[in-house]
Amino acid sequence: MTELITAVEAVDVRFPTSRHLDGSDAMNPEPDYSAAYVTIRTSDGAAGHGLAFTVGRGNDVEVAAVRALAPLVTGLPVDEVLGDLGAFSRRLTGDSQLRWLGPEKGVIHMAAAGIVNAVWDLYGRREGKPVWRLLSELSPERLVDLVDFRYLRDALTRDEALDILRRAEPGRAERTARLLREGYPAYTTTPGWLGYDDEKLVRLSTEAVADGFTQIKLKVGADRAADVRRLRLAREAVGPDVRIAVDANQAWGVPQAIEWMSALLPYDPYWIEEPTSPDDILGHAAIRRALGTVKVATGEHTHNQVMFKQLLQAEAIDVLQLDASRTAGVTENVAILLLAAKFGVPVCPHAGGVGLCEMVQHLAMFDYVAVSGTTEDRVIEYVDHLHEHFTDPVRVRGGRYLAPTAPGLSAELRPESMRDHRYPDGPVWQGEATA
């Protein structure tokens, strides 16, 4: 009997992080980290898990979008889906009536990410491999088949992508062994949430360095004087050799970003992340030209591969921060990694949230093994929140992500965590003690 996809389940899962201001920044002062949690089931009893990350209200809208896409998936033969994951992604993002809600951006595109990520998790489980390794062992030809080049050919052709992958191919085995032995560099945002007081900032910054991190990140953008004070305290706590990135979370206009960052320059910020609207490609380029020594980073709210293409073409960013569920999941992120390699821009993925660290590590590790072939100036964001809720949580030691070895995308929630944090009927949201 042919194995079919029989169900696409979506659950509204929310964690009350706003109670302690975990995740707080200039634009999101009281977020509740949440996930539209997706499970794909097949007629043979197999399952794959994925999610789209949100910050509270609106997660019900994201769940509804997943359910709207579900009829495009249920009933498909599993072998056909896994045999052409590029076509499967285009099936989700190209439906004419649902595409109208984007196209290829926003709630509907993130819903596609949740489903695509769940299918990659299913694929990894079927092959008995973590997704980073599954991707890294695909041929260059199969990898480029994932990419929709229609809107990319003026910046990246199929032949160019093949050349990038073929150049990296001879070193795959050596880099895989090194990754398993040494892990992948990380940085931490844990000290830097805007709602934390100065004592907590200093204490967590000091602990981060003691734990082996060579880069931390602080949220900025609400109060200039407070930002100057906080960055000074962090610099005093970590010393001159630890990189300190700052993140405005889109709080500023272009002239304001340049002026505000000028006040922070004495404390040697490494990059400024999301200094303005994520849609303002020319604005990012202007900020980059004006600031000179401070790198410009963005990507967690960049809608799709076409916007990344333009950011790179316009020389608007020094650091590309792809996200596991903002674009259409693993498949589209392969295209984005190839674009970054073509333009020679390092990828430092956005993480934190719910399950983003778990998922995005696979993308960065695939990039190292099979695309860019380097970890120079590359780090994966790490936030020490909510990992205990996953069956295969991230492992970070000595400031480095240890490579996952369990099959799949590391996105499966523990059943009791999903039960307790379902919104609005889970006991966490009813004021009851968790089981």
Side-chain angles (χ1 to χ4, degrees):
M1 295 290 290
T2 300
E3 184 182 13
L4 304 176
I5 295 175
T6 55
V8 178
E9 300 169 359
V11 180
D12 186 340
V13 180
R14 307 188 194 187
F15 297 87
T17 50
S18 63
R19 295 175 187 176
H20 300 287
L21 299 181
D22 298 332
S24 54
D25 60 52
M27 298 296 280
N28 304 284
E30 296 179 333
D32 284 321
Y33 278 3
S34 306
Y37 181 62
V38 179
T39 300
I40 299 284
R41 300 196 186 277
T42 81
S43 56
D44 285 3
H49 308 276
L51 59 86
F53 169 64
T54 76
V55 293
R57 288 192 303 275
N59 201 47
D60 48 354
V61 178
E62 195 62 66
V63 167
V66 173
R67 292 172 179 165
L69 288 169
L72 299 175
V73 179
T74 53
L76 294 179
V78 174
D79 284 344
E80 289 185 17
V81 169
L82 301 186
D84 193 346
L85 282 161
F88 177 72
S89 181
R90 291 189 291 274
R91 178 181 180 87
L92 293 178
T93 60
D95 178 86
S96 63
Q97 296 184 18
L98 293 175
R99 186 179 184 275
W100 188 267
L101 303 179
E104 298 177 40
K105 62 178 67 71
V107 171
I108 200 69
H109 208 49
M110 293 170 66
I115 294 172
V116 167
N117 288 338
V119 168
W120 275 99
D121 183 65
L122 176 69
Y123 192 11
R125 290 167 184 269
R126 169 179 274 207
E127 296 298 316
K129 299 173 184 177
V131 165
W132 70 265
R133 191 155 194 167
L134 173 66
L135 281 165
S136 298
E137 293 176 0
L138 294 178
S139 70
E141 291 75 16
R142 281 209 60 193
L143 288 168
V144 296
D145 284 345
L146 298 172
V147 178
D148 183 352
F149 287 97
R150 175 176 36 172
Y151 301 135
L152 302 184
R153 289 190 184 96
D154 56 322
L156 177 71
T157 67
R158 179 184 175 88
D159 285 345
E160 288 173 326
L162 278 170
D163 286 344
I164 290 167
L165 294 165
R166 287 170 178 163
R167 285 198 303 269
E169 198 170 16
R172 284 185 182 186
E174 179 184 349
R175 288 189 293 273
T176 296
R178 183 177 179 184
L179 183 62
L180 289 167
R181 184 172 66 249
E182 300 178 6
Y184 194 102
Y187 78 92
T188 181
T189 306
T190 295
W193 301 115
L194 209 56
Y196 290 175
D197 61 28
D198 289 352
E199 183 280 327
K200 191 170 185 178
L201 165 67
V202 170
R203 174 173 55 82
L204 293 176
S205 297
T206 304
E207 290 175 0
V209 175
D211 288 339
F213 291 100
T214 58
Q215 179 176 324
I216 64 172
K217 187 168 76 182
L218 271 60
K219 299 292 185 174
V220 297
D223 182 300
R224 188 184 308 187
D227 287 347
V228 171
R229 184 188 73 251
R230 294 171 65 252
L231 190 52
R232 174 178 57 81
L233 289 171
R235 177 56 71 197
E236 291 171 353
V238 304
D241 298 327
V242 172
R243 290 174 173 175
I244 303 178
V246 295
D247 183 357
N249 290 97
Q250 315 161 31
W252 305 321
V254 172
Q256 186 184 21
I258 296 167
E259 182 182 3
W260 200 302
M261 283 303 300
S262 298
L264 303 181
L265 290 179
Y267 306 104
D268 192 23
Y270 179 60
W271 77 49
I272 172 59
E273 181 173 333
E274 287 201 314
T276 192
S277 165
D279 298 347
D280 191 352
I281 293 163
L282 298 182
H284 278 82
I287 293 167
R288 182 172 181 260
R289 288 194 300 270
L291 293 181
T293 58
V294 181
K295 297 180 185 298
V296 172
T298 200
E300 70 182 89
H301 285 85
T302 301
H303 296 299
N304 52 48
Q305 61 189 23
V306 175
M307 287 195 67
F308 277 113
K309 178 192 76 167
Q310 293 177 79
L311 285 164
L312 294 166
Q313 287 174 317
E315 299 182 349
I317 55 172
D318 300 283
V319 179
L320 188 151
Q321 296 176 304
L322 58 77
D323 181 272
S325 67
R326 175 67 58 177
T327 60
V330 170
T331 308
E332 188 172 16
N333 273 313
V334 170
I336 294 163
L337 288 169
L338 287 164
L339 281 166
K342 161 73 184 293
F343 284 84
V345 172
V347 175
C348 298
H350 169 247
V354 179
L356 296 184
C357 294
E358 277 72 19
M359 293 190 297
V360 83
Q361 63 183 331
H362 292 269
L363 300 172
M365 292 175 187
F366 158 65
D367 174 67
Y368 169 56
V369 173
V371 185
S372 70
T374 182
T375 59
E376 184 178 356
D377 287 334
R378 288 161 166 80
V379 279
I380 306 172
E381 185 173 19
Y382 175 69
V383 181
D384 190 16
H385 295 163
L386 308 174
H387 304 299
E388 67 275 14
H389 298 292
F390 288 85
T391 61
D392 182 27
V394 295
R395 299 170 298 147
V396 174
R397 295 178 192 164
R400 301 176 77 88
Y401 274 78
L402 302 186
T405 56
L409 192 60
S410 310
E412 182 182 7
L413 280 170
R414 294 183 179 277
E416 62 272 19
S417 292
M418 182 174 64
R419 180 194 67 221
D420 292 346
H421 294 86
R422 284 178 63 111
Y423 188 86
D425 56 331
V428 166
W429 294 106
Q430 294 179 350
E432 301 172 11
T434 59

